[in-house]
Amino acid sequence: MTTTTSAPTTTTVLDASGVTMRFGGLTAVRDVDLTVNSGEIVGLIGPNGAGKTTFFNCLTGLYVPTEGKVAYKGTVLPPKPHLVTQAGIARTFQNIRLFANMTVLENVLVGRHTRTKEGLWSALLRLPGFRKAEDASRARAMELLEFTGLAAKADHLARNLPYGEQRKLEIARALASEPGLLLLDEPTAGMNPQETRAAEELIFAIRDQGIAVLVIEHDIRFIMNLCDRVAVLVQGEKIVEGPAEVVQADERVIAAYLGTPFEGAPGAAEAAEVEAAEAEAQSTTEGDDK
Amino acid sequence: MTTEIPMDKSTDTVKVSTAEATPIIPLPHAAARGLTVAGSALALIGTFLAWTWTEEFPGNLTVTGYPGGLQVLTLVGSVLTLLFALSGYGIRGLGWLTPGGKNSPVLLAALGVFGTTGYAMGAISQELGGLVNLEPGAWVSGIGALVALIGALGLPVDQPYGAGEAAPNLWGRIRHSLTAPDPGRAKELPSWAEILIIAGGFGVGLYVFAYGIGTEYSELFIGFLIVAAFGFTAVTRAGLLKRLSALTAKHRNVTLGAAFAAAICFPFTQSNDQFALIGANILIFATVALGLNVVVGLAGLLDLGYVAFLGVGAYAAALVSGSPASTIGVKFPFWAAVLTGAAASLIFGVVIGAPTLRLRGDYLAIVTLGFGEIFRITMNNLNGNSGPDVTNGSNGIPQIPDLEIFGFNLGVPHDVLGHELTRSANYYLLMLLFTAIVVMVFRRSAESRIGRAWVAIREDETAATAMGINGFRLKLLAFALGASLAGLAGTVQAHVSYSVTPEQYEFAGPVPPNSAFLLAAVILGGMGTISGPLVGAALLYLIPAKLQFMAEYQLLLFGIALMLLMRFRPEGLVADRRKQLEFHETGQLDVPEDKPLPEGATGVAKAGA
């Protein structure tokens, strides 16, 4: 298997406890606890509408959670996106949100925003540090573009990149903020198998740099290859968490994905009835065979 | 039939297939080109003959052998047509004229000649009462222009239709015949030659601009507009503009220097104080438009009350100018007055921005529109009657004294290099300094971390905040910077116009600058560019100032022009590369050549990419 054991000294990077998000009467995320340790790749799966992206938005400060708190490396995060990014959590978006009319390099440079300090006066007066900081930013951005394999297209407009490369650029842009935790929202949506393989390798390479990764994904094979741990979100609640193999075999997960009513839900009686009928039918066919 | 036309020496020959794209008028190639050359030569000769018999028509078109007024415009246009047409023959030494399109520039120039000559003939017979007032010269030129146009319409079309496209209808064919392919890469020239070309380009630009401002009657100005518009498009289609902009992009500092040198030369071309005043007012308008471009073009904040910041700067400067009507009655030196104006605008910008910038898009536009009006009404009410007496209400603050900088009184004419610089010319030069400052501020802030953050906010605010950008703070910064730039311009404006009154700072009115015209200048010129708002402001100021007779219809025509612009060229006259791509989704993307990857740069993801 491609998964490797995490670094010997594990520290908790992300600690979300009791995160609840209500929109009026609708509870999109209910009391979800999740931790991510350093050097770990954690998967977050669940059917459509399970609240995965809402949970992401709560983590990154786009939404202010109704209840619960999110801590990064021990400090509780304020619910402001730019402060969360400054603290060290970077993210990508499910529907690609690049700065379409900026060049590839500029996109990554925007990602450097929190790690640079040069203000307006420095830019207007071209103070001594300005050129230096700008060059350093550029060099770092080019490094990241080389890392993601986009260096040759640095001067292209982001909108002109093919789909797979736009995804990569989003990751490069997120990495530019030097995060300790990277949140990826469906990084392989709409990709072909080769591109998915490439994305997998990219994520492993990111983990090897010491960045923890939390990834939302629908592609189960991708998750199984990639993740050390998987959490399953169904109807806003985390129903199970554990190593990929365990989660894959879990009845409730199968039920949630295949749509069979799960234990305790209304319709369990009907399910039992169907099961009984099926058993009976089976026994009769078996009888016929004899 | 396939014609092979020799191109610029630096590029290969291009095959122009005319099998699919037929000319509008089917003529043999040789005949069409011959007709064009002969026609434009005829139009050229006609300009040396008398066009009318009386000097009642302005410009004195009665002299034989010495073209004047509208005749000069026809002369320039037909020379241009002739040159482009001859270049199509592959005459040595003319090939550089048409690196891009070969025949569409001829057609456009011919249209310009036809338009201006036709307009001149129409205007003469309209004003003097009948065609009988036309002398043979006008007929010679007119028929020449018509022949040249017919010939040009018969020239082969530069671009074949796209693969699989059906031949369009007549209108589509006419539009298609005006398109041209992009020029190939230019031959490397020594850099002194390139700089010389840039200087020459700006020299021509200055001459055309000065001529436009110096037009003394509206007939000449209309003729000028026709020739300038068609001539400019022809030069663009010929690929010369692309070549020039490639050079200016290469030598950016030289270009800026050349532009300002040309602008400094402007007052020396004008002996009339009235025209220098137009120049100064254009600069004020353009500077404020450039400041607005920080807010609208970079940060994407639609501000409909921007003129209020100009007003704050102007009022602040007026109050400390030592004007007898000022309620404060202090007299600051100029530098202190400038700082006061800019600081007052800055504070006003922050006070307005802090609550309103939490809104997005249309809501922000409406609220800024409201604040713009609140400023004007407040200035009206601070008259000692409905409020404390600060601004004298609708009387404003008159009798603002002229500036005196280092003992140099800007109010009186000075002799510089044997040329008398009038009061307006002095203010023009002072204002030019401010324009230079604003250009520098715009350029430097755009090319920095802050400028990138502004563009990111404009592109996608949610993603920008997720990248660690404090959206509110940066938007406020853009707002405040824009406000103080307008305040700077306001301090000079108060002195140029002698007085400040509330109705100078309306949302929309007949005289620019006002909020609507400022925004129009930015959009007309091209958002996010430096030269765009300057060009837009110059046009929007000049056209109403020169065409006084249509003052009543000015806003109507202005609205129509804006609608046409949004339909046909939504990115503005001067497009930056981004906008051009944004609005014109063509099959071929304007992508730079891939850079070869350095050896050993092995990205992890390349394995599977």
Side-chain angles (χ1 to χ4, degrees), chain B residues 327 377-396:
Chain B
T327 50
I377 293 164
T378 309
M379 291 302 110
N380 241 329
N381 287 344
L382 293 178
N383 56 2
N385 200 3
S386 40
D389 188 11
V390 182
T391 63
N392 300 331
S394 55
N395 295 328

Side-chain angles (χ1 to χ4, degrees), chain A residues 3-26:
Chain A
T3 49
T4 50
T5 49
S6 47
T9 50
T10 50
T11 51
T12 308
V13 178
L14 176 80
D15 184 11
S17 54
V19 173
T20 301
M21 184 73 215
R22 287 195 200 92
F23 298 103
L26 176 82

Side-chain angles (χ1 to χ4, degrees), chain B residues 27-53:
Chain B
L27 286 173
H29 182 192
R33 195 167 296 278
L35 272 182
T36 317
V37 170
S40 41
L42 199 61
L44 181 65
I45 293 164
T47 59
F48 286 90
L49 305 171
W51 279 17
T52 184
W53 58 275

Side-chain angles (χ1 to χ4, degrees), chain A residues 3 8-9 23 29 62-63 74 88 105 118 126 133 152 170 172 175 182 195 200 219 230 241 250 254 256 262:
Chain A
T3 49
T9 50
F23 298 103
V29 177
L62 278 179
Y63 293 159
L105 181 65
E118 273 55 47
R126 295 278 137 119
E170 260 212 318
L175 287 176
L182 181 62
E195 286 170 332
E200 237 172 75
D219 185 341
V230 177
E241 185 184 340
D250 192 285
I254 297 169
F262 49 90

Side-chain angles (χ1 to χ4, degrees), chain B residues 378-458:
Chain B
T378 309
M379 291 302 110
N380 241 329
N381 287 344
L382 293 178
N383 56 2
N385 200 3
S386 40
D389 188 11
V390 182
T391 63
N392 300 331
S394 55
N395 295 328
I397 301 171
Q399 299 170 38
I400 298 172
D402 275 311
L403 286 172
E404 205 172 311
I405 304 171
F406 302 124
F408 184 91
N409 189 342
L410 272 75
V412 295
H414 293 270
D415 263 332
V416 178
L417 300 174
H419 186 90
E420 188 186 57
L421 288 181
T422 57
R423 172 183 186 271
S424 301
N426 293 334
Y427 277 112
Y428 171 89
L429 289 174
L430 175 70
M431 199 53 223
L432 191 62
L433 182 70
F434 279 77
T435 311
I437 292 172
V438 175
V439 165
M440 198 197 71
V441 166
F442 184 88
R443 196 180 138 191
R444 290 194 164 178
S445 60
E447 288 171 11
S448 73
R449 169 178 173 265
I450 302 295
R452 282 193 298 269
W454 283 335
V455 178
I457 290 172
R458 187 192 72 196

Side-chain angles (χ1 to χ4, degrees), chain B residues 67-294:
Chain B
L70 283 159
Q71 288 173 318
V72 177
L73 293 170
T74 301
L75 176 81
V76 170
S78 44
V79 166
L80 205 61
T81 319
L82 206 54
L83 284 176
F84 281 135
L86 288 176
S87 161
Y89 274 125
I91 293 173
R92 282 178 68 86
L94 285 180
W96 63 272
L97 271 173
T98 50
K102 297 281 145 197
N103 297 326
S104 54
V106 181
L107 178 54
L108 280 160
L111 273 172
V113 176
F114 184 71
T116 190
T117 314
Y119 169 75
M121 292 170 75
I124 291 170
S125 32
Q126 162 91 39
E127 278 170 46
L128 302 179
L131 287 174
V132 73
N133 296 295
L134 293 171
E135 290 282 315
W139 290 110
V140 171
S141 280
I143 291 167
L146 184 66
V147 169
L149 182 63
I150 292 170
L153 283 170
L155 286 172
V157 178
D158 279 332
Q159 269 179 323
Y161 299 125
E165 267 179 64
N169 56 15
L170 184 65
W171 171 236
R173 279 167 59 196
I174 291 177
R175 283 191 60 184
H176 182 82
S177 68
L178 297 178
T179 61
D182 280 342
R185 242 160 238 284
K187 182 172 56 177
E188 281 288 318
L189 287 172
S191 56
W192 60 266
E194 293 186 341
I195 290 169
L196 220 66
I197 292 172
I198 293 175
F202 277 102
V204 172
L206 168 70
Y207 184 79
V208 171
F209 184 70
Y211 185 88
I213 288 191
T215 51
E216 287 178 351
Y217 44 100
S218 52
E219 288 87 353
L220 189 59
F221 185 71
I222 292 177
F224 165 77
L225 276 188
I226 295 172
V227 172
F230 280 106
F232 182 77
T233 323
V235 167
T236 312
R237 290 287 184 268
L240 292 177
L241 211 68
K242 274 255 164 63
R243 284 278 162 92
L244 188 64
S245 60
L247 290 185
T248 55
K250 204 163 139 194
H251 306 279
R252 290 190 50 187
N253 291 322
V254 174
T255 305
L256 270 177
F260 278 104
I264 288 171
C265 289
F266 168 74
F268 294 95
T269 66
Q270 305 294 323
S271 46
N272 189 331
D273 185 62
Q274 184 201 341
F275 297 145
L277 180 63
I278 291 180
N281 280 325
I282 287 178
L283 273 188
I284 292 171
F285 185 22
T287 308
V288 184
L290 201 55
L292 179 62
N293 204 15
V294 173

Side-chain angles (χ1 to χ4, degrees), chain A residues 50-71:
Chain A
K52 303 182 298 290
T53 300
T54 309
F55 181 60
F56 255 40
N57 287 345
C58 290
L59 293 185
T60 52
L62 278 179
Y63 293 159
V64 183
T66 325
E67 282 163 35
K69 63 178 198 292
V70 181

Side-chain angles (χ1 to χ4, degrees), chain A residues 85 97 101 106 116 157, chain B residues 444 449 460 466 578 581-582:
Chain A
T85 310
R97 298 188 85 149
N101 295 310
E106 282 171 332
T116 42
L157 288 190
Chain B
R444 290 194 164 178
R449 169 178 173 265
D460 186 336
R578 284 179 192 147
L581 285 169
E582 202 174 323

